[in-house]
Amino acid sequence: MIAHNVLSALPCLLLGVALLLATPSSGANILVNWFIPSGTSLPSKTAVVGDTATFGWDNLHDVYVHPSGDCDETGRILVAGESIDDSATYTFMEDDVGELVFVCNVGTHCEDGMILTFTVSASTSPGVTSAPTPAPTSGAGPIISQSSITVVALMVCTTAFAYAGL
């Protein structure tokens, strides 16, 4: 009887192991307090390809990448639109190696110093080529990661083992 229960639960266990092995390793999460500084600009930060910057704010702000390296909006790339008390993420990719400048374009926030330069270096892990990940806009549904799916699969397997008497 126990051998039958083990064999019936084996596919679930193999699924959980496969999902764990398939879960990509992720870089560091760099927290950015997104606000208008009292000085000339926000302090520079460093990142590695595959790292994610998470911008968090309390007032009305947005997040753009400015290829100009300053408040010139030419060629700007939207990361997160104007919102109050929100957050946004950006995952650094190989094309970002060097300096990457983020700004807030609300009113004169950029001119007031809401500009942040990241020095991005190449990944130490081969094959990491993450694309930029803008934050979901308001009203967007939940984002479910591969690791969340893995955890849920393992929880289901654990429950299956419990019911199988293992």
Side-chain angles (χ1 to χ4, degrees):
M1 179 72 165
I2 291 179
H4 175 72
N5 289 347
V6 170
L7 290 176
S8 65
L10 188 59
C12 191
L13 178 62
L14 291 175
L15 171 66
V17 170
L19 284 170
L20 276 176
L21 293 175
T23 302
S25 62
S26 59
N29 185 24
I30 303 163
L31 301 177
V32 177
N33 187 8
W34 200 227
F35 67 99
I36 301 171
S38 58
T40 57
S41 66
L42 295 168
S44 297
K45 293 187 177 283
T46 59
V48 175
V49 170
D51 288 352
T52 298
T54 301
F55 297 81
W57 61 89
D58 294 328
N59 296 308
L60 180 64
H61 297 299
D62 58 23
V63 182
Y64 280 87
V65 172
H66 273 209
S68 63
D70 57 24
C71 295
D72 179 3
E73 296 182 16
T74 304
R76 70 185 181 171
I77 301 164
L78 176 67
V79 177
E82 284 186 22
S83 60
I84 298 173
D85 192 25
D86 206 352
S87 66
T89 59
Y90 183 92
T91 301
F92 297 96
M93 57 186 204
E94 289 179 5
D95 291 345
D96 296 328
V97 171
E99 286 193 346
L100 190 65
V101 176
F102 294 89
V103 306
C104 178
N105 282 331
V106 173
T108 60
H109 291 188
C110 184
E111 291 80 3
D112 294 338
M114 201 164 174
I115 182 167
L116 173 63
T117 301
F118 268 90
T119 301
V120 183
S121 57
S123 172
T124 55
S125 302
V128 176
T129 57
S130 300
T133 308
T137 57
S138 296
I143 297 173
I144 301 173
S145 67
Q146 178 71 32
S147 58
S148 297
I149 294 170
T150 302
V151 169
V152 169
L154 289 175
M155 290 171 58
V156 168
C157 287
T158 302
T159 304
F161 283 130
Y163 283 114
L166 300 177

